[in-house]
Amino acid sequence: MGGGSAQSCLKIVKVNGKAHGRGLFRDAESEYVGQWENDFKHGQGTEKWFNDGSSFVGLYQLGKKEGHGRYNWHDGSYYEGTTIFFLTLGFLFALLH
């Protein structure tokens, strides 16, 4: 699982010693709240990064972002679309100041 520092936090049910179901993982860099399966982020989830305030809301498959999702940046711009085998297909909306 991501992280692993002394500051990490995992709040989830474990099945056979592995994260499964809905839960939260937090470390010094980010926080993930969502579905887990067999110790992987898997299904619907939200990940937030503390360093820049960006976030991702969408689908995960075996720990990777795959399927429909939306990246949000602190300035209000966002990317929404589909990720398939690490390729992103969608639209970027950027606020023009």
Side-chain angles (χ1 to χ4, degrees):
M1 274 181 297
S5 72
Q7 300 172 352
S8 65
C9 170
L10 178 66
K11 294 182 181 178
I12 191 169
V13 172
K14 292 207 169 210
V15 176
N16 295 325
K18 296 185 178 184
H20 187 83
R22 185 165 172 78
L24 170 131
F25 176 80
R26 180 183 302 139
D27 64 15
E29 298 173 6
S30 65
E31 175 181 276
Y32 171 81
V33 177
Q35 295 298 115
W36 293 83
E37 186 175 308
N38 204 27
D39 245 21
F40 289 102
K41 298 171 190 169
H42 192 83
Q44 184 68 35
T46 300
E47 193 164 3
K48 296 177 184 177
W49 292 273
F50 304 133
N51 64 336
D52 64 3
S54 64
S55 65
F56 174 80
V57 178
L59 295 174
Y60 289 78
Q61 294 284 326
L62 298 174
K64 308 281 186 214
K65 296 168 188 73
E66 187 160 334
H68 187 79
R70 179 174 162 152
Y71 285 93
N72 301 289
W73 288 275
H74 73 281
D75 66 359
S77 60
Y78 65 88
Y79 166 86
E80 186 166 359
T82 301
T83 302
I84 303 171
F85 297 112
F86 309 108
L87 299 174
T88 52
L89 311 167
F91 300 96
L92 174 67
F93 176 79
L95 292 179
L96 301 176
H97 300 283

